[in-house]
Amino acid sequence: MANDTMTSVATLMRDSQKEILADWVDQQLKDPARTQAVPESSLRASSNEFLSIFQEAIQKGNLDNMAAPEWEGARKMLSELSASRALQGSTPSETASFIFSLKEPLFALINKQLGAGNIASSEAIVRYSKVLDQLGLYTFESFQKSREAVIRRQQKDMLEMSTPVIKLWEGVVAVPLIGTLDSARTQIVMENLLQAIVDTNSKVAILDITGVPTVDTQTAQHLIKTVSATRLMGADCIVSGIRPQIAQTIVHLGIDIQDITTKALMSDAIREAMERTGWSVIRNTSQES
Amino acid sequence: MARENLEFGDGVLLQHCALQTEDDLVLARAAIKLHSTDLGFSKLNQTKIVTAASELGRNVLEHGLGGHLKIDAIDQFGRKGLRLIFEDNGPGILDMELALTDGYTSKKGLGLGLTGSKRLMDEFSIESQPGEGTTVMVIKWT
Ligand SMILES: Nc1ncnc2c1ncn2[C@@H]1O[C@H](COP(=O)(O)OP(=O)(O)O)[C@@H](O)[C@H]1O
Ligand SMILES: [Mg+2]
C-alpha cells in the first residue's frame, strides 16, 4: 500500500505540475529570507526543471536513500543550483529553502488527493517530508562547499594580486614583496617571476623585501631558492629593500647570502639593473637644481 | 617532569600563545612585536627578538609537533627583560650537542634556528627529554 501511495503521488505530481509550480514559486517569492540575488524568471525555470526531475525520481520508488543512482539527476541539479547561487550572492538559508518551500504545496496536494488527516495521507506526508529534508540538507551542504571553493579561489587570486611582477624597463622586471613570505607565497612569486622573465625576455629581476616584516631562516631559504631559479633562467637577481636591522639580524642568524647581490634601496637596485643591461641614466643638466 | 626553567624567577605573564599552525606563529610574532615595543626595545632589538621567536616557534611547529609560547616581562634586581618560553610535547632532542651545531638540520632547514636565536638573544637555555618534549627559554634585557 505504501508503494501505491508513492506512485500515486508521483502520478499526481505529474498531472498537476502546473498547479504545484505556481504554488511553489509563490511560496519562494513570499519567503522573508529572499534576497534579490535570483530573478523570478530563473527561479521559475529552476523550479519547473526540479519538479520534472523530482517526479521522475520518485516514480522509481526509492524514497529512503537520496545517495542512490535514482536520485543522481536531482543531486546534480541541486549542486549546480547551489554553485550558481553561491556565486550570485544568495544566502545559505535562502538556497536551502528552495527545497523546503516545496513542502507546503506538495502536502496540500497530497491532502487534497488522499483526504486530510487519514492514515494514507499522513504516511505520505511523513515520507515526503523526510525526502525533502534530505534533499534540503544536501543543497545546504553543496552551497557550503561552493562557498568554500569560491573563498579558496579568491585567496589564490589575492596571493597572485599581492605579488605582481612589474616590468620596470626593457630587460628588467621587479617584484615588490609585501607580507609573510611563506611556502605557498614563494611558489606563486617564483612561478609568476619566471614566467615574466620569459615573456619580457628580461636579464635582471629585482626582488624587493621592503614590505616583508621578518626575515628568518625560512624566509631566507625561500629567497635563496627564488634567486637560484632566476639564475637558471639566465637572468640575474638583485634583492633590495634590506633594512639595516634586517641586515644585522641575518648576519647574527649566520645565514650566508654572499652569493646574492643585495641593495638597501630599490632605487639602488634599479641603477644596478640598468647598468647591467647596458643603460645609463643621465640627468639633463639644464634641469639640475 | 621539571622542564620549567626558574633560573630567572617569576615574571609578569604578558601573553600565552598556542603554536599549532603557521597562522598561530604569525599571531605570536605580532604579539611579541607589540610587547617588545611596549617595553621600549629599539627597532634593532625588536627585530632580533621577533626573528628569534620566529625560529623557535617554527621549531615547535616543525619538530615539536605543536605546543605553546609564554611571553612574560621579568625584573631581576632592577634589570628588566622580555622572556619567551617555548614548550612542546614532541619527540624531544636526542643529541643536544648536534642540534646546537651551526648548520645541523634533521629536516631540510638551514640548521641555524637554535644557534641563531642564541646569538640574537641575551640568555638562552634549552631542556629536552627524548620522547617527552622540549622547552626553550630566551631573554632579551632592555
Ligand atoms: N622543538 C624541537 N623538538 C625536537 N627537535 C628539535 C626542536 N627544535 C630543534 N630541534 C632539532 O634541532 C635541529 C636544529 O634546529 P634548528 O637549528 O632550528 O635548525 P632547522 O630547524 O633548520 O633544522 C632540528 O633539525 C631538529 O632536529
Ligand atoms: Mg629551525
Side-chain angles (χ1 to χ4, degrees):
Chain A
M1 128 147 205
N3 270 324
D4 288 352
T5 310
M6 276 178 330
T7 37
S8 70
V9 170
T11 316
L12 194 58
M13 279 191 74
R14 195 186 47 219
D15 294 345
S16 18
Q17 182 154 339
K18 266 210 183 98
E19 193 186 327
I20 294 195
L21 178 66
D23 255 13
W24 186 22
V25 171
D26 262 2
Q27 286 285 341
Q28 297 180 67
L29 293 176
K30 272 198 325 225
D31 184 358
R34 179 173 136 84
T35 64
Q36 295 305 312
V38 184
E40 188 184 330
S41 57
S42 88
L43 196 81
R44 197 172 293 278
S46 322
S47 302
N48 194 31
E49 187 191 346
F50 181 76
L51 281 180
S52 308
I53 294 175
F54 183 70
Q55 61 87 7
E56 215 172 277
I58 56 179
Q59 203 113 47
K60 293 184 183 139
N62 183 349
L63 290 192
D64 299 313
N65 182 10
M66 304 297 109
E70 295 94 302
W71 289 92
E72 199 188 322
R75 288 197 308 272
K76 185 161 175 286
M77 187 206 151
L78 290 175
S79 61
E80 282 168 8
L81 180 105
S82 303
S84 75
R85 293 200 169 187
L87 274 178
Q88 283 169 313
S90 291
T91 64
S93 55
E94 184 185 10
T95 306
S97 69
F98 173 71
I99 291 299
F100 293 132
S101 61
L102 177 55
K103 280 188 182 182
E104 236 179 273
L106 180 60
F107 297 169
L109 188 76
I110 290 173
N111 276 334
K112 200 172 123 195
Q113 187 68 15
L114 304 174
N118 61 46
I119 293 182
S121 65
S122 311
E123 201 183 273
I125 286 177
V126 168
R127 300 206 69 177
Y128 279 96
S129 192
K130 279 187 184 157
V131 169
L132 291 177
D133 283 345
Q134 279 192 57
L135 292 174
L137 220 62
Y138 176 83
T139 309
F140 190 81
E141 276 172 20
S142 311
F143 182 87
Q144 224 42 21
K145 273 191 202 134
S146 311
R147 284 297 302 160
E148 280 159 23
V150 169
I151 290 170
R152 266 197 303 279
R153 200 176 46 245
Q154 284 173 342
Q155 273 174 339
K156 193 166 169 284
D157 285 350
M158 221 157 76
L159 270 176
E160 279 173 12
M161 276 195 302
S162 62
T163 49
V165 182
I166 300 157
K167 181 176 172 184
L168 277 184
W169 196 253
E170 254 162 70
V172 183
V173 286
V175 190
L177 294 166
I178 292 162
T180 310
L181 195 56
D182 60 18
S183 311
R185 216 67 204 288
T186 308
Q187 195 55 38
I188 288 175
V189 168
M190 211 147 72
E191 280 167 17
N192 291 352
L193 179 61
L194 299 184
Q195 190 59 48
I197 289 173
V198 174
D199 293 346
T200 60
N201 194 20
S202 284
K203 291 283 165 265
V204 182
I206 300 172
L207 282 178
D208 187 83
I209 60 165
T210 307
V212 178
T214 312
V215 179
D216 58 10
T217 58
Q218 195 190 53
T219 316
Q221 255 186 318
H222 289 149
L223 284 173
I224 293 167
K225 198 169 139 196
T226 309
V227 172
S228 313
T230 313
R231 286 197 184 135
L232 280 177
M233 304 289 303
D236 287 343
C237 194
I238 303 171
V239 178
S240 71
I242 304 188
R243 284 154 288 156
Q245 63 268 28
I246 300 257
Q248 281 208 49
T249 305
I250 290 175
V251 171
H252 278 283
L253 276 174
I255 302 167
D256 182 13
I257 49 165
Q258 300 281 339
D259 260 14
I260 301 176
T261 310
T262 57
K263 296 287 173 195
L265 301 174
M266 176 107 159
S267 53
D268 299 335
I270 294 174
R271 183 186 302 276
E272 170 93 19
M274 299 290 266
E275 272 167 22
R276 287 196 197 179
T277 47
W279 296 88
S280 60
V281 183
I282 297 161
R283 182 185 255 184
N284 188 337
T285 43
S286 66
Q287 297 283 311
E288 245 174 282
S289 50
Chain B
M1 183 177 55
R3 280 197 280 120
E4 187 73 10
N5 194 305
L6 296 172
E7 226 176 298
F8 292 89
D10 289 333
V12 178
L13 181 67
L14 296 176
Q15 201 165 335
H16 221 111
C17 306
L19 288 174
Q20 297 293 341
T21 65
E22 201 53 45
D23 287 343
D24 291 340
L25 187 56
V26 173
L27 292 177
R29 278 199 300 254
I32 293 165
K33 169 101 188 166
L34 208 79
H35 295 304
S36 59
T37 311
D38 278 353
L39 288 172
F41 283 102
S42 67
K43 266 251 147 59
L44 174 59
N45 280 335
Q46 286 176 29
T47 307
K48 286 182 176 178
I49 297 167
V50 172
T51 308
S54 192
E55 292 300 335
L56 299 172
R58 180 156 294 106
N59 281 355
V60 167
L61 297 180
E62 268 187 2
H63 308 298
L65 310 171
H68 53 90
L69 157 68
K70 201 170 85 180
I71 307 170
D72 52 16
I74 54 168
D75 187 330
Q76 195 198 38
F77 313 121
R79 189 164 59 149
K80 292 182 172 36
L82 182 70
R83 177 169 65 179
L84 308 175
I85 299 173
F86 295 85
E87 206 162 9
D88 66 63
N89 299 310
I93 296 174
L94 285 171
D95 188 338
M96 189 58 79
E97 206 184 313
L98 191 60
L100 291 172
T101 305
D102 266 335
Y104 169 76
T105 177
S106 57
K107 292 206 171 153
K108 280 181 175 162
L110 288 178
L112 295 168
L114 289 177
T115 51
S117 31
K118 193 173 176 178
R119 285 187 289 266
L120 289 169
M121 301 297 281
D122 296 326
E123 315 284 344
F124 177 98
S125 76
I126 180 165
E127 281 166 45
S128 185
Q129 292 283 328
E132 291 193 19
T134 304
T135 305
V136 181
M137 188 236 30
V138 288
I139 297 174
K140 192 90 190 166
W141 301 111
T142 55

